[in-house]
């Protein structure tokens, strides 16, 4: 089997490496960030995604690092229950835990951190290391995120647009607050729409929380990290008491303000010997809760076709043909969920689950 270079050591890049490792295929990962910068926050993973993870991570070990959520409850901002729906094997896990689990099967010699890959226009788009050295690989798998520099260089006419939603995401370690929360997915909604607060219990002492803002109504994008806590306290002051308590007691050292972008139209998933996976191939807005599952499925199927097919282009073509239609369903579902989020509560569809299913 040919040598493969993987660009990006996030969820998609590491899952690709795990599947390659499983099939004893030679590879090397290049990541521009430091290892400790990959920690991040957390994910919701539906049953399908868990099935893919069980193929590359010991199930008992995986389940020790997260929490199955039993029920989704939709609340008004004051805490009135608006809708409830049982969840079928939806798993919540921190990004730090999932990154650590995916890294454990990869020898340190196969990952280079703090290495930015350069796209060389003068040499027909050849990829190079930051010192100008050529990358010697027969296949390059690009997994460098939703705003992929390499994708932008290959498909120069692509159009990305900012979505009418921004998110603040954080994790709080507080046993008292965690003990007060059931193993549920709780989401509070403002009656005028365009403002929510979600809570996921990750473990006995850890809670992930996130808030979603209509960025045309709320100037969240103009906040510095220093002013973010103050702004959040002001916005959510009169919500259910649990919410201002979480906001006030959280440490904002690692808070993440996420401005969400999407492609107006999907690009091809490959060109010549370069192929894209995860958010680099198809950015999904967060309403879908399908980012991790889609990245895992990309990695699984791409590896499968590379093993089965002698011709790289045939493998890439089969991968794109299999994945693109499903991704377009999730993109459409995400836009439906976004439009619901922007509506006043009394105009929203009842009991709509904030997870995209194909």
């Amino acid at each position: 089997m040919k040598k493969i270079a993987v660009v990006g050591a996030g969820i998609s890049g590491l899952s690709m490496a795990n599947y390659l490792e499983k099939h004893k295929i030679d590879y090397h990962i290049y990541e521009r960030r430091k290892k400790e910068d990959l920690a991040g926050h957390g994910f919701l993973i539906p049953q399908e995604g868990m099935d893919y993870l069980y193929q590359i991570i010991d199930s008992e070990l995986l389940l020790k690092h997260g929490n199955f959520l039993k029920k989704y409850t939709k609340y008004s901002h004051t805490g009135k229950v608006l809708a409830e729906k049982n969840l079928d094997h939806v798993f919540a896990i921190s990004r730090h835990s999932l990154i650590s689990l995916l890294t454990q099967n990869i020898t340190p010699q196969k990952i280079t951190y703090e290495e930015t890959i350069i796209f060389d226009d003068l040499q027909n788009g050849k990829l190079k290391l930051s010192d100008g050295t050529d990358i010697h690989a027969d296949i390059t798998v690009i997994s460098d995120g939703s705003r992929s520099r390499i994708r932008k260089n290959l498909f120069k006419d692509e159009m990305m647009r900012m979505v009418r939603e921004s998110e603040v995401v954080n994790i709080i370690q507080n046993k008292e607050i965690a003990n007060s929360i059931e193993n549920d997915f709780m989401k509070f909604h403002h009656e005028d729409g365009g403002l929510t607060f979600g809570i996921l219990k990750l473990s006995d002492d850890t809670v992930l929380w996130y808030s979603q803002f209509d960025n045309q109504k709320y100037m969240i994008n103009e906040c510095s990290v220093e002013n973010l806590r103050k702004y959040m306290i002001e916005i959510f002051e009169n919500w259910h008491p649990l919410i201002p308590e979480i906001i006030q007691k959280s440490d904002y050292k690692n808070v993440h303000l996420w401005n969400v972008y999407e492609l107006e139209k999907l690009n091809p998933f490959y060109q010549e010997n370069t192929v894209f996976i995860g958010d680099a191939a198809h950015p999904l807005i967060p309403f879908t809760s399908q980012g991790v599952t889609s990245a895992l499925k990309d990695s699984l199927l791409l590896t499968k076709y590379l093993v089965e097919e002698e011709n790289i282009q045939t493998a890439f073509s089969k991968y794109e043909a299999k994945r693109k239609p499903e991704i377009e369903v999730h993109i459409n579902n995400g836009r439906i969920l976004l439009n619901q989020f922007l509506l006043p509560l009394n105009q929203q569809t009842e009991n709509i689950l904030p997870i995209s299913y194909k």
Side-chain angles (χ1 to χ4, degrees), residues 67 94 171-175 177-179 181 200-208:
N67 188 35
S94 73
I171 284 179
I172 180 171
Q173 288 193 300
N174 185 302
K175 199 169 184 67
I177 288 175
N179 284 340
I181 298 170
L200 309 170
K201 185 173 180 177
L202 297 179
S203 70
D204 291 340
D205 66 352
T206 306
V207 172
L208 181 144

Side-chain angles (χ1 to χ4, degrees), residues 80-98:
K80 179 184 176 183
V81 175
L82 302 175
E84 293 181 318
K85 188 173 180 64
N86 291 330
L87 297 174
D88 182 20
H89 288 87
V90 175
F91 193 67
I93 187 170
S94 73
R95 181 182 172 89
H96 172 76
S97 293
L98 188 52

Side-chain angles (χ1 to χ4, degrees), residues 48-63:
E48 183 184 12
M50 295 301 288
D51 290 340
Y52 300 138
L53 281 174
Y54 292 148
Q55 296 182 42
I56 51 178
I57 299 174
D58 177 77
S59 59
E60 287 188 20
L61 185 61
L62 176 60
L63 298 183

